[in-house]
Amino acid sequence: MKRLFTFGCSHTCHGYPTWANILAEEFDEHINFGQAGSGPLYAFYQISNLINNKEKWKLSEDDYFVLLIPEENRNDVVVDKGDGEQIITNTIHNDCEEWYTDKYKREFSPSDGLIKTTLYIESIVRLFQNHRFNYKIINALHGAYYQNGNRYKLYHDHLKNLIGHSDSLQTIAKEYTEKEIHYYFLNEQNELEWDGHWIIPIHLQFVKSNFDFYKETNVDKYLDIHESITKTNLFNLNEYGAKYHYAYWPNGGLYVGSQNKLLPI
């Protein structure tokens, strides 16, 4: 059985279909470890735990693993929420100076996440290669407006040597020719609220650009969802983002969204 395992942030696991759901049409089963708001450390943690439990998952060369690297300066930390330890993320937008707090400016720099992410990706590549798994790693973003442009170029060039060339999701969005690249949803106050994620056709083009085995299986289903959202500004945001979500927790359990419970590893 061909299975697809996907990792990343909300650009990988969101309320409406992402590239991961579209690509999964070419597989028998899809296991999505993406987590909204998460950073590179979170993805590394999920991949490491999955491979550490490869016998339970019966991982094989038939499985395919794809990581869409989240924004590099998201700072993942382990906290105790009372019902168990979880990984949460302090999100830092590198293209918005006002998001840098005085504490962040004292204790970090825009290069901090680049160095850490490089180490995570190097380790992830070694894990996949050592176990002879089929994988692909792609950047979600392309470093536009990054404060330290020279540092980002060094990071990007080194990453390209590690994982090869791919078209980032942000690059695909930048080249999209239609006027609207985001959705607007009606909130509980019946007001239109902007969704900061790219529309389904951009995710579709991302898959076409990066996966040569993609055959556009059931593509009309996703274009119909896009048309429906565009016309109505409505969608059940739990349908894709929560129902089939998987996550390893630091307290030693595996959360399975379809069962809505934490299972022992």
Side-chain angles (χ1 to χ4, degrees):
M1 181 173 65
K2 292 170 55 181
R3 294 180 296 181
L4 173 67
F5 292 84
T6 53
F7 309 85
C9 58
S10 55
H11 293 304
T12 296
C13 186
H14 192 41
Y16 50 83
T18 70
W19 65 269
N21 305 106
I22 295 170
L23 182 64
E25 294 290 344
E26 308 300 338
F27 293 82
D28 298 318
E29 185 179 356
H30 178 206
I31 297 95
N32 198 342
F33 281 91
Q35 172 63 48
S38 64
L41 175 60
Y42 178 89
F44 180 28
Y45 182 79
Q46 301 303 315
I47 292 170
S48 177
N49 275 282
L50 176 66
I51 293 178
N52 284 339
N53 291 277
K54 67 176 184 177
E55 287 80 13
K56 291 185 178 181
W57 285 93
K58 296 185 170 77
L59 299 180
S60 73
E61 294 180 4
D62 290 331
D63 296 317
Y64 192 61
F65 305 83
V66 185
L67 164 62
L68 187 69
I69 305 172
E71 201 278 331
E72 291 86 359
N73 267 308
R74 284 182 168 177
N75 186 31
D76 300 314
V77 294
V78 178
V79 297
D80 190 344
K81 303 286 285 186
D83 57 347
E85 292 181 334
Q86 301 177 36
I87 296 178
I88 66 168
T89 303
N90 300 316
T91 305
I92 299 147
H93 291 254
N94 291 308
D95 56 345
C96 300
E97 174 65 22
E98 63 268 25
W99 281 69
Y100 284 92
T101 63
D102 290 338
K103 180 178 176 61
Y104 177 78
K105 291 176 181 177
R106 287 196 308 269
E107 299 181 4
F108 295 92
S109 80
S111 298
D112 178 74
L114 298 184
I115 294 171
K116 291 176 179 176
T117 301
T118 298
L119 297 176
Y120 301 148
I121 300 303
E122 287 177 347
S123 298
I124 290 169
V125 167
R126 282 195 293 270
L127 280 173
F128 285 146
Q129 290 180 344
N130 288 344
H131 292 274
R132 298 182 179 179
F133 291 142
N134 296 309
Y135 71 94
K136 194 173 187 69
I137 300 174
I138 309 175
N139 259 333
L141 309 179
H142 57 52
Y145 313 112
Y146 201 86
Q147 284 199 346
N148 189 329
N150 291 332
R151 183 69 184 83
Y152 192 90
K153 185 177 184 306
L154 290 172
Y155 159 79
H156 183 269
D157 290 346
H158 179 57
L159 205 63
K160 186 175 179 180
N161 289 331
L162 276 173
I163 62 177
H165 171 76
S166 299
D167 294 319
S168 73
L169 189 59
Q170 190 174 42
T171 298
I172 299 296
K174 185 178 180 181
E175 296 173 351
Y176 191 68
T177 57
E178 299 297 324
K179 181 180 178 181
E180 293 294 344
I181 61 173
H182 303 285
Y183 294 123
Y184 291 81
F185 291 103
L186 288 170
N187 60 24
E188 293 180 356
Q189 290 74 40
N190 206 36
E191 299 170 334
L192 282 179
E193 190 170 299
W194 176 70
D195 182 87
H197 301 81
W198 291 298
I199 60 177
I200 291 170
I202 291 175
H203 284 264
L204 175 60
Q205 185 55 48
F206 171 82
V207 174
K208 291 179 180 180
S209 297
N210 291 299
F211 301 93
D212 56 11
F213 60 83
Y214 176 60
K215 300 176 183 177
E216 299 192 35
T217 303
N218 294 329
V219 68
D220 288 343
K221 175 175 72 174
Y222 297 99
L223 293 177
D224 288 345
I225 293 173
H226 166 67
E227 185 176 355
S228 175
I229 294 174
T230 303
K231 287 181 178 179
T232 66
N233 300 116
L234 296 170
F235 193 73
N236 177 10
L237 290 178
N238 287 322
E239 185 169 347
Y240 282 85
K243 187 176 181 181
Y244 301 107
H245 173 243
Y246 292 76
Y248 275 103
W249 282 20
N251 61 353
L254 172 68
Y255 177 79
V256 181
S258 59
Q259 301 180 37
N260 195 30
K261 63 182 179 181
L262 189 68
L263 305 175
I265 295 178

